[in-house]
Amino acid sequence: MSSHPLASPEEPFYIKIHPQDNVAIVVNTHGLPAGTRFPCGLVLTESVPQGHKVALVAIAAGQPVLRYQAIIGYALRDIPAGGWVHERLLKMPDARGLDDLPIATREPTMLPPLEGYTFEGYRNPDGSVGTRNLLAITTTVQCVAGVVDVAVKRIREELLPKYPHVDDVVGLEHSYGCGVAIEAPDAIVPIRTLRNISLNPNFGGEVLVVSLGCEKLQPQRLLPPGAIPIIDERSVADVGENAEPPLDVVCLQDDHHVGFQSMIASIMARAESHLERLNARRRETCPASELVIGVQCGGSDAFSGVTANPAVGFCTDLLVRAGATVLFSEVTEVRDGIDQLTARAANAEVAGALIREMAWYDAYLDRSRVDRSANTTPGNKQGGLSNIVEKAIGSIIKSGTASIAGVLSPGERLNGQKGLVFAATPASDFICGALQLAAGMTLHVFTTGRGTPYGLAAAPVIKVATRSDLARRWHDLMDINAGRIATGEATIEEVGWELFRRLLEVASGRQKTWAEHWKLHNALVLFNPAPVT
Ligand code: CA
C-alpha cells in the first residue's frame, strides 16, 4: 500500500493499494475539487468524493480497472488520468465459474504459534467456553414473542438482582415456527440455526423453551432427544442412567394456564432453577485458543478494504496463531474471490465444501433471477464501492492469510474445528450474526465504514470504524478506530494488535463494548431459504 504521510489535513491525499493498480482512492474527508494537484503531479479533472476512485493513468475504453491488483471492472469509455472512476463507468466482470478452480494449491501457511495469551471465561461442561453468563429463553414460534418479552423484563427486574453472577436474560425471539413449509428440505436451515443458537456457549448449557402448543416447530422437533448433551450429575440423577433429561418447556396452551399472569408465573418459576445454576458459575483463566470469534462487515465503504478489514485480517492471523477459532462468512462477499479461497483450503475436502456452498448460493439467488451483484447497497456506492467485485476483494481480507481449516453450512455448529473456518451465511448483518451465533461464536468483530449501531444480545460486538470521521462522530458507538491507518497515524499491525488485546479484555468481561453499554441489540433474524405458507 502506498500513501503519503499526512502532513496536514488539507493536503490532497490518495491511497493506492498495489503497485499495478491504475486507480487509487481519495482520503480527504470532504473529497477534493477539480484542479487539485497531488504531490506526485496528478491533477483531478473533476471533483472526487472521499473514498472514491481517481484514475492514476489514462484508461482506454474496454481496458481493465485494477484495485488490489484485481480487475474490478472494465472501462465503458475512455477515462483520463485524474478522472473520477465511478460505478457508471465500469462494466462488472462475470462471476468466476466453479469449475477448474485451484484446489488447495497454496503451500499451507505455517504461522508461528502465539503462546501465553489468556482470558477469563466461563467453562461449560461440554468443554466450550463462554464470554458472558446469560440465561436464554428459546422460543419455538413468533406467537409467544410478546409473552416472552414481558417475562424477560420481569426476570431482569425481579429475579436477576438475586443472581448477581448472571449477566442478563435473553429472549430468543424470531419470526419462524409456524406458517412455514416445515417439510421443505431447506427448512433444516432455520431449524438447526435456532437449535444451535440455544446451545451457544454464552448460555452455559441451560435450555428453557417457551412454546405455544399448536405450532409446526414443536419443541421436540427443535431439540430432539440427544440435542442437549447430558452435562452433569443433575441430569442423570433426575432421570436415571442412560435416559434423556426432559426438555424444559413452558407451553402456553397447556390447560393449567389460566390467564396471561399464569403464563408469566410459569416462565419465571422455570427460569429460577436455571438462574440458580448459572449463578454458581465463575470465570476461570482459559487459553486464547478457547475463543470463537466471528468477523463480518456491514455498511462498507472504499476504506473497509484499506483500513478496518486489513487490521481485522492481521488480528485473525494472531488469533489463529494463538489456536483460536475464527469464523468468516458472507457468501456474496467472497464469491468473487473463490479462487483465492479454494487455493487457501487446507485440503481438497475443504476446497470441495467451499465450492459446494458457493454453488448452493448461486442456485438460491438464481431462483429469484438475481446474482451476487444484488449485494451492494446505495450506501456502499456512495462510499466509493463501485460493485460487488470491489466490495468482495476488500471483504475477504478480514480472513487474514491462514489456511482455511473447515467449512460450515448455514446454521451448522462447530464440531471440533479450530483455526480459520468459513461459515457460509448471507451477508445481511443480522442473519450473518445469527448464523455465527449458531456456529458457536462467543465474540463478534464488525467493521463498518458508513456506520451502523449494530449489536447482538447473545454475544458482545466490537465495532471497528474504517474512517476517523465516522469514529469521531460516532465516538460512543465505535469501539476501535482503524481510520488512523489511512492517515498514517497507525499501522495495520498496530490496529490489529489493539483489536486482539481488546478482544481478550471484552471476552474476560473486564471491558464492555459500546453496544453492550447502551444495550443495543438487533433482532434475531433466522435465514429461511424455504417457502412460507
Ligand atoms: Ca454483513
Side-chain angles (χ1 to χ4, degrees):
M1 186 169 95
S2 69
S3 60
H4 313 282
L6 193 62
S8 85
E10 306 305 323
E11 185 179 338
F13 181 34
Y14 66 67
I15 292 179
K16 176 182 176 181
I17 300 284
H18 191 273
Q20 289 180 7
D21 291 356
N22 55 11
V23 294
I25 63 166
V26 168
V27 174
N28 302 72
T29 300
H30 301 294
L32 291 171
T36 300
R37 180 181 292 273
F38 290 95
C40 65
L42 182 73
V43 177
L44 290 183
T45 59
E46 56 193 314
S47 64
V48 179
Q50 187 196 30
H52 283 248
K53 292 177 286 298
V54 54
L56 298 172
V57 295
I59 304 171
Q63 290 301 302
V65 172
L66 290 160
R67 190 180 171 205
Y68 307 104
Q69 201 190 1
I71 297 174
I72 60 167
Y74 297 91
L76 287 170
R77 61 170 169 78
D78 292 346
I79 304 171
W84 177 18
V85 183
H86 50 71
E87 79 270 14
R88 295 178 303 283
L89 291 179
L90 294 184
K91 178 183 180 295
M92 195 173 84
D94 292 334
R96 173 78 158 83
L98 295 176
D99 298 324
D100 306 322
L101 287 162
I103 302 297
T105 47
R106 208 192 63 181
E107 282 294 308
T109 308
M110 295 307 289
L111 300 170
L114 192 61
E115 285 163 356
Y117 288 91
T118 61
F119 69 106
E120 302 298 311
Y122 291 101
R123 192 172 285 285
N124 293 314
D126 69 355
S128 65
V129 177
T131 65
R132 294 292 180 268
N133 190 25
L134 301 168
L135 171 66
I137 300 180
T138 299
T139 65
T140 50
V141 67
Q142 167 61 210
C143 311
V144 305
V147 172
V148 169
D149 202 36
V150 171
V152 164
K153 286 194 183 84
R154 296 239 346 236
I155 292 168
R156 194 174 284 138
E157 287 164 14
E158 297 168 35
L159 298 184
L160 278 191
K162 288 162 50 186
Y163 304 100
H165 295 286
V166 180
D167 291 318
D168 205 354
V169 52
V170 177
L172 300 179
E173 295 146 14
H174 54 85
S175 60
Y176 198 73
C178 210
V180 294
I182 206 157
E183 301 297 340
D186 289 338
I188 187 65
V189 174
I191 295 171
R192 74 181 170 208
T193 300
L194 190 57
R195 174 184 307 145
N196 290 331
I197 289 175
S198 306
L199 304 174
N200 184 280
N202 286 351
F203 303 149
E206 298 292 332
V207 179
L208 169 60
V209 180
V210 176
S211 149
L212 181 63
C214 60
E215 67 273 27
K216 283 190 174 162
L217 183 57
Q218 290 286 304
Q220 290 72 22
R221 184 163 190 159
L222 176 64
L223 290 153
I228 305 173
I230 296 179
I231 53 175
D232 56 22
E233 312 73 26
R234 154 183 58 96
S235 312
V236 177
D238 283 354
V239 295
E241 292 284 346
N242 304 320
E244 289 288 338
L247 189 58
D248 192 1
V249 181
V250 174
C251 177
L252 301 190
Q253 290 173 349
D254 271 0
D255 292 343
H256 67 79
H257 283 134
V258 180
F260 169 70
Q261 293 291 355
S262 76
M263 298 173 188
I264 299 295
S266 288
I267 296 170
M268 292 181 70
R270 295 308 313 155
E272 285 225 56
S273 60
H274 296 281
L275 286 169
E276 274 168 23
R277 286 190 292 271
L278 289 171
N279 196 51
R281 306 170 79 219
R282 295 293 181 272
R283 290 185 184 270
E284 59 185 89
T285 303
C286 301
S289 57
E290 303 286 8
L291 286 170
V292 180
I293 310 288
V295 300
Q296 75 152 319
C297 42
S300 298
D301 67 2
F303 288 103
S304 299
V306 178
T307 60
N309 291 351
V312 170
F314 185 84
C315 181
T316 293
D317 281 352
L318 295 178
L319 289 161
V320 171
R321 288 171 57 191
T325 304
V326 181
L327 307 165
F328 75 110
S329 297
E330 303 177 291
V331 170
T332 53
E333 292 181 13
V334 303
R335 178 65 180 81
D336 281 284
I338 182 59
D339 48 348
Q340 293 180 32
L341 299 186
T342 53
R344 282 171 63 190
N347 55 49
E349 189 185 345
V350 169
L354 285 164
I355 294 168
R356 179 194 70 215
E357 293 304 327
M358 299 298 129
W360 185 92
Y361 217 91
D362 282 357
Y364 166 70
L365 293 174
D366 193 51
R367 292 204 308 245
S368 298
R369 297 188 181 84
V370 294
D371 63 20
R372 85 261 192 237
S373 69
N375 173 301
T376 36
T377 65
N380 292 154
K381 291 179 179 176
Q382 281 168 23
L385 291 173
S386 292
N387 58 37
I388 185 59
V389 183
E390 184 178 12
K391 186 174 174 179
I393 304 300
S395 175
I396 290 176
I397 302 172
K398 295 196 299 297
S399 67
T401 63
S403 296
I404 300 168
V407 176
L408 299 177
S409 293
E412 284 185 341
R413 189 174 190 230
L414 285 167
N415 185 21
Q417 299 96 329
K418 285 279 189 183
L420 182 65
V421 172
F422 181 70
T425 77
S428 160
D429 296 346
F430 352 96
I431 298 181
C432 174
L435 289 166
Q436 289 187 341
L437 286 173
M441 167 180 78
T442 54
L443 201 53
H444 201 31
V445 174
F446 191 100
T447 69
T448 184
R450 305 294 295 170
T452 163
Y454 176 84
L456 294 171
V461 179
I462 296 176
K463 291 201 287 296
V464 184
T466 73
R467 293 176 299 123
S468 292
D469 182 51
L470 175 68
R472 181 181 56 75
R473 286 186 295 113
W474 288 29
H475 59 92
D476 54 2
L477 290 165
M478 294 294 135
D479 297 288
I480 302 264
N481 175 18
R484 295 173 295 144
I485 294 167
T487 52
E489 295 161 90
T491 63
I492 288 169
E493 293 78 8
E494 285 166 353
V495 177
W497 273 106
E498 180 186 348
L499 175 59
F500 179 78
R501 294 196 178 94
R502 183 73 63 90
L503 283 164
L504 297 179
E505 288 297 300
V506 171
S508 303
R510 291 190 289 261
Q511 199 166 352
K512 281 187 171 181
T513 67
W514 278 117
E516 283 184 297
H517 175 80
W518 298 120
K519 302 190 189 304
L520 301 180
H521 306 144
N522 286 100
L524 191 64
V525 183
L526 301 181
F527 180 34
N528 178 23
V532 294
T533 62

